[in-house]
């Protein structure tokens, strides 16, 4: 546990004067390892450690807390600030409001689409789902089962119809039939798959979503930065949803993406059921990342 | 000439960062890099080449897996966390078995997730083999039992059983997995002859936790690493191999039934270190 190992690092420090350079350097070595093991991107860790060092060296050691606790709090506050500073909710001002979901294979897009449908119908919106995964076996069925559970309608692909064409048709239907929220579930894809990324760009051009949400597995590794950055450059992300936080992954990918791409985390997935969607709490994720 | 070599020699720091970027466990990366110049022993290979060999040696395996090594009516159980690629891998394995002249059956023991068994049913049509499924919400252990029973009754060589994704930190779900295994034991004491965990290459350090906890629940006999056709390098495999010593059997390289190849240490390390 990080705060315990930091306690050991600081155990010889008495409560007077400033934290010494040696104390801080030793403690930062522990922090660096903790962050890397939490899947924070190594470059983000480098920059973060430098930032924290400057802050920590300037601090007076308080008499009321142990130096280890004080240092941990300094790091935790820095992390919380980084994770929470771009906080923004969905843009729900348009009628109909469009939300385009995207992300890597198996990240949780379809399940999260069902969760958002539940959340927004409970809030009184007339929700329409669009099954834009035309590739994965039973992807359309999966979304339809979820839609049935939540009580919302789905636009399903016609044979031979492209994703942009489906998007256009869904948008028209939403406008003529009074839906005020449309969520597009897309198939999993790599940011390096140019043809599939172009499909997303074309869908975005057809539908003009106010919200373009990257769905990210909380256990994602170092490629979180490349994935988020590339998708952001190509389709312009407006938000992030972090899934599978009910697992025991530390969630460092969220910090990596926030630091480099700066896209706000809207919500977090905490289970497989449609009600398992919660608000994002930067302070909770910060202490989870620190371990 | 040795002067030029120094100029394009990667620094230890650069190599360590390459390992970190590939999701190699930070402590393991530091150890390997610290021992690197010693491992080179003044020979004239580049640091990168020595590092490659060190890593290949860590993953080198004795014998590759073949379906023919399995006994008749063998049972292969596929497990792992949510979204790692189990259902797709189950279908790919059935396809590979057919290619090797083995007659497989699939078991759709994911009775929980929306369209979980529908997905495998569609795959069965695409692959050209039968699938045993149960009603949505039915007992997964019962479906697994039925699949193994059908394998024996229909005289199939092999049954590959797909299970629902589950978080390894959820005791009731891990208990269900034990129950599935006990259920298979009831039909055939040695079943499942193989239990493979499907790991997603895009996942970071949590992959070790997954492998460790699943292995503690029901002993793993193989690892399949999927989605290696993306930009992630699955460096987590080094600490998993070191700690658990479970063979890495296959690599998933795409979404089609053909996109599964035997794991090969040299190809893997070449892909990781470029
Ligand atoms: N435990 C847990 N499981 C989740 C969560 N979100 C999604 N899942 C599960 O993760 C798996 C993958 O979810 P999907 O919704 O199919 O993922 P996807 O991104 O649509 O997958 P593709 O369409 O194939 O790219 C399923 O088993 C879901 O039930 C979560 O927050 N917690
Ligand atoms: N590119 C690529 N995609 C893969 C690979 N293996 C699986 N996938 C994709 O990953 C997503 C999830 O695959 P599934 O087979 O549904 O995963 P699962 O483990 O059965 O998921 P759950 O049953 O929901 O836990 C799908 O979009 C698959 O097409 C692979 O090797 N490469
Ligand atoms: Mg999906
Ligand atoms: Mg599955």
């Amino acid at each position: 546990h990080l705060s315990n190992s930091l306690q050991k690092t600081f155990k010889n420090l008495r409560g007077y004067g400033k934290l010494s350079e040696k104390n801080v350097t030793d403690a930062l070595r522990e922090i660096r390892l903790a962050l890397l093991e939490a899947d924070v991107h190594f470059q983000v860790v480098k920059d973060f450690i430098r930032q924290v060092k400057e802050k920590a060296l300037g601090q007076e050691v308080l008499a009321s807390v142990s130096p280890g606790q004080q240092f941990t709090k300094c790091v935790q506050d820095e992390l919380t600030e980084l994770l929470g500073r771009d906080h923004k909710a969905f843009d729900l001002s348009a009628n109909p409001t469009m939300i385009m979901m995207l992300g890597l294979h198996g990240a949780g897009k379809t399940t999260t689409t069902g969760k958002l449908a539940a959340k927004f119908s409970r809030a009184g919106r007339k929700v329409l789902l669009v099954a834009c995964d035309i590739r994965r076996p039973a992807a359309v069925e999966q979304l339809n089962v979820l839609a049935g559970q939540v009580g919302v309608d789905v636009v399903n692909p016609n044979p031979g119809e492209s994703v942009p064409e489906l998007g256009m048709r869904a948008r028209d239907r939403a406008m003529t039939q009074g839906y005020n929220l449309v969520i597009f579930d897309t198939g999993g894809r790599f940011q390096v798959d140019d043809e599939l990324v172009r499909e997303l760009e074309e869908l975005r051009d057809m539908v003009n979503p106010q919200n373009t949400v990257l769905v990210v597995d909380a256990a994602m590794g170092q490629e979180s930065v490349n994935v988020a950055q590339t998708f952001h450059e190509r389709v312009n992300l407006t938000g992030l949803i972090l899934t599978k936080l009910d697992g025991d992954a530390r969630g460092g990918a969220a910090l990596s993406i926030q630091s480099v791409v700066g896209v706000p985390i809207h919500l977090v997935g905490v289970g497989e059921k449609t009600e398992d969607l919660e608000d994002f709490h930067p302070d909770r994720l910060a202490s989870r990342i620190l371990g | 000439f040795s002067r030029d070599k120094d100029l394009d020699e990667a620094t230890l720091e650069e190599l360590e960062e390459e390992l970190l970027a590939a999701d190699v466990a930070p402590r393991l990366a530091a150890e390997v890099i610290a021992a690197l110049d010693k491992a080179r022993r003044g020979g004239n290979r580049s640091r990168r080449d020595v590092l490659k060999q060190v890593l290949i040696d860590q993953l080198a395996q004795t014998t590759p897996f073949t379906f023919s090594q399995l006994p008749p009516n063998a049972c292969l159980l596929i497990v792992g966390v949510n979204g790692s690629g189990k259902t797709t891998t189950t279908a790919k394995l059935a396809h590979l078995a057919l290619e090797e002249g083995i007659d497989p059956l699939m078991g759709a023991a994911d009775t929980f997730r929306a369209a979980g068994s529908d997905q495998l049913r569609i795959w069965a049509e695409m692959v050209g083999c039968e699938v045993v499924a149960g009603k949505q919400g039915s007992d997964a252990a019962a479906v697994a039992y039925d699949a193994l029973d059908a394998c024996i009754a229909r005289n199939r060589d092999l049954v590959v059983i797909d299970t629902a994704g589950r978080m390894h930190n959820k005791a009731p779900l891990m208990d269900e997995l034990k129950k599935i295994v006990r259920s298979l034991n009831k039909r055939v004491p040695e079943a499942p002859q193989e239990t493979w965990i499907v790991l997603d290459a895009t996942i970071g350090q949590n992959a070790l936790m997954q492998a460790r906890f699943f292995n503690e629940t029901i002993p793993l006999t193989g690892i399949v690493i999927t989605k290696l056709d993306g930009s992630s390098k699955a460096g987590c495999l080094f600490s998993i191999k070191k700690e658990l010593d479970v063979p890495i059997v296959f690599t998933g390289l795409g979404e089609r039934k053909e996109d599964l190849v035997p794991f090969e240490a040299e190809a893997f390390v070449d892909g990781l270190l470029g």
Side-chain angles (χ1 to χ4, degrees), chain A residues 136, chain B residues 81-88 90 110 113 115-117 119-120 162-165:
Chain A
R136 170 173 150 162
Chain B
V81 303
N82 305 74
S84 64
K86 297 175 294 301
T87 304
T88 309
T90 299
D110 178 357
R113 207 207 67 210
S117 51
Q119 188 182 358
L120 200 62
D162 181 27
T163 60

Side-chain angles (χ1 to χ4, degrees), chain A residues 33 36-37 39 42 46 105 136-138 142 145 190-191 217 219-223 244 246-249 272, chain B residues 17 20-21 23 26-27 82 112-114 119 167-170 202-206 227 229-232 255:
Chain A
L33 213 50
L36 288 173
E37 289 176 339
D39 298 317
F42 76 90
K46 253 182 167 172
H105 314 84
R136 170 173 150 162
Q142 185 186 3
V145 168
F190 291 122
Q191 82 285 8
D217 189 320
M220 194 172 179
Q222 296 279 311
E223 279 300 291
K244 307 179 201 174
D246 49 314
D248 60 11
E272 296 193 70
Chain B
E17 291 188 341
L20 292 177
D23 287 317
R27 286 174 210 265
N82 305 74
F112 172 75
R113 207 207 67 210
Q119 188 182 358
M167 289 296 166
H168 52 279
N169 61 336
K170 297 198 174 163
T202 68
I203 299 306
Q205 299 311 305
N206 197 249
K227 310 179 197 173
D229 48 316
S231 57
S232 295
E255 301 188 71

Side-chain angles (χ1 to χ4, degrees), chain B residues 51-127:
Chain B
L51 180 58
K52 274 193 183 176
Q53 196 54 53
V54 165
L55 294 178
I56 289 169
D57 293 344
Q58 292 199 5
L59 292 183
Q61 307 185 123
T62 42
T63 43
F65 172 82
T66 55
F67 287 106
S68 53
Q69 80 192 43
L70 298 172
N73 309 136
C75 176
L76 166 46
L77 187 66
I78 302 297
V79 304
V81 303
N82 305 74
S84 64
K86 297 175 294 301
T87 304
T88 309
T89 299
T90 299
K92 288 174 179 178
L93 287 168
H95 170 72
L96 212 58
L98 281 170
E99 299 254 286
E100 287 190 24
I102 305 280
D103 194 8
L105 184 66
M106 297 195 295
D110 178 357
T111 52
F112 172 75
R113 207 207 67 210
S117 51
D118 292 324
Q119 188 182 358
L120 200 62
R121 271 187 239 259
I122 294 174
W123 268 116
E125 288 172 32
M126 299 199 292
V127 166

